[in-house]
Amino acid sequence: MKKKIVSFQGLEGAYSDLVCRKFYKNFKTLPCNTFQKTLDAVTNGIAELAIIPVENNIAGRVADMHFLLQNIKLKIVAEHYHRIEHHLMAKESCKLKDIRKVYSHTHALSQCKKKIKKLKIHSIDYMDTAGAAKFVKESNEEGISAIASKLASQIYGLKILANNFEDEKENITRFLVFSKSSHNIKANQKIITSIVFNTKNVPAALYKALGGFAVNEINLTRLESFFVNKDFKQFSFIIDVESHPDNKFFQNAMKILMKFSTKVKILGFYKASTFRK
């Protein structure tokens, strides 16, 4: 039987790859160069699912994803939270005392800066963590290392010199899962619905638009804004609410939201991760 495919952005060994393998053990993983290509793999029928990181409790939201969500045709069908564990790695022959440089993604470097400073090694930005591990493996330069996942060390044959190299142990990234269509989920579970909308250019539009959720006692767990044009005149918002779309109170709240918005789009609904508990 042919394995289903789940796509992710990055090289093999990226943290998104690790998350794919953790939550979708029976799927084959598909590396993609960009977030857009990751989503396109599902749109074009190459993959059944796409996994995208959207926010980190230390680094904040992931750039570019908000703009992709504006016009996306796929549906969010799940969320997963994963603790990011950074590891310092190098070639088998290299010892910790020999390390002079460390390569990794800028966020990984910033999340390990105290330990990098303590070891007095020079940090160098790289496009991604798995790519840094691959570069170190293929380079002839002496005394270089990478910060990446344990999976990356296994894939590229590198030795871990220091486990859990991150400064803060509670380093959590939230991932969303995309599919062509929504899954059938019963309303008697804890459900999160994600919505993107543009408010009308009138006083207190956001306050009035969200007022329906307050009146109907529906909890908002996320509210983010971003500009949708270059002249900074139009805001778009993404919200996560604790409700199934079939809930009558949710539908009442949506009527008010649409009254004060120029565009409203439900991105998907899905079971709340057990991490939220």
Side-chain angles (χ1 to χ4, degrees):
M1 184 173 157
K2 190 177 178 182
K3 273 191 173 184
K4 290 182 179 180
I5 295 174
V6 54
S7 59
F8 68 92
Q9 187 275 323
L11 297 179
E12 282 189 295
Y15 288 103
S16 293
D17 186 14
L18 192 156
V19 170
C20 288
R21 298 181 191 214
K22 176 182 177 181
F23 292 101
Y24 298 94
K25 291 182 172 66
N26 296 324
F27 281 63
K28 181 181 177 182
T29 60
L30 175 66
C32 299
N33 291 334
T34 65
F35 289 139
Q36 185 64 65
K37 288 181 179 178
T38 304
L39 297 169
D40 287 346
V42 177
T43 303
N44 298 331
I46 298 167
E48 280 73 28
L49 302 174
I51 287 187
I52 302 282
V54 290
E55 55 191 326
N56 176 271
N57 65 332
I58 296 173
R61 70 188 186 189
V62 175
D64 299 331
M65 265 314 296
H66 293 70
F67 301 103
L68 292 177
L69 291 175
Q70 276 279 92
N71 301 306
I72 196 169
K73 294 178 181 177
L74 303 178
K75 293 294 184 182
I76 302 170
V77 294
E79 66 172 354
H80 300 295
Y81 289 81
H82 179 72
R83 181 186 164 199
I84 303 298
E85 296 180 273
H86 294 306
H87 304 289
L88 182 69
M89 58 193 70
K91 290 182 180 178
E92 279 291 336
S93 58
C94 197
K95 295 180 180 178
L96 186 59
K97 63 181 180 64
D98 301 324
I99 298 298
R100 295 177 295 104
K101 297 178 184 177
V102 59
Y103 292 83
S104 197
H105 187 274
T106 182
H107 285 167
L109 292 172
S110 68
Q111 291 165 12
C112 303
K113 61 184 177 183
K114 290 179 183 177
K115 291 186 178 178
I116 292 172
K117 185 178 180 180
K118 188 176 180 181
L119 290 175
K120 297 178 181 178
I121 52 181
H122 180 55
S123 59
I124 302 171
D125 284 357
Y126 206 81
M127 66 184 87
D128 57 44
T129 55
K134 187 173 186 284
F135 171 78
V136 168
K137 177 64 177 179
E138 295 174 350
S139 175
N140 293 322
E141 188 178 356
E142 298 290 332
I144 63 171
S145 63
I147 293 171
S149 69
K150 186 176 182 180
L151 178 62
S153 73
Q154 295 167 348
I155 289 172
Y156 301 108
L158 297 177
K159 176 177 68 176
I160 293 178
L161 301 174
N163 284 292
N164 297 104
F165 199 62
E166 63 274 7
D167 297 327
E168 302 289 336
K169 299 307 174 191
E170 291 305 310
N171 181 358
I172 310 294
T173 295
R174 181 184 182 224
F175 293 81
L176 293 179
V177 183
F178 296 83
S179 180
K180 273 189 176 181
S181 56
S182 297
H183 293 174
N184 232 346
I185 306 172
K186 293 180 180 179
N188 61 353
Q189 305 172 75
K190 187 174 181 181
I191 303 298
I192 304 296
T193 298
S194 295
I195 306 163
V196 63
F197 64 96
N198 299 348
T199 53
K200 290 181 178 178
N201 190 18
V202 295
L206 179 62
Y207 173 81
K208 292 172 182 175
L210 296 180
F213 293 101
V215 169
N216 286 279
E217 298 185 342
I218 295 174
N219 187 35
L220 268 70
T221 62
R222 179 190 185 200
L223 168 62
E224 291 189 32
S225 65
F226 59 101
F227 291 109
V228 295
N229 53 25
K230 294 179 181 178
D231 58 7
F232 299 97
K233 290 181 179 177
Q234 179 65 61
F235 269 111
S236 195
F237 298 90
I238 291 178
I239 58 172
D240 288 343
V241 301
E242 291 183 349
S243 178
H244 194 289
D246 289 345
N247 184 305
K248 67 176 182 179
F249 297 107
F250 173 88
Q251 291 170 1
N252 291 339
M254 286 295 287
K255 288 176 185 176
I256 297 171
L257 178 64
M258 288 187 280
K259 184 179 178 181
F260 295 99
S261 302
T262 58
K263 177 183 176 182
V264 178
K265 181 180 182 181
I266 294 178
L267 298 171
F269 60 97
Y270 42 94
K271 290 181 187 177
S273 167
T274 53
F275 178 85
R276 289 177 180 265
K277 296 177 183 178

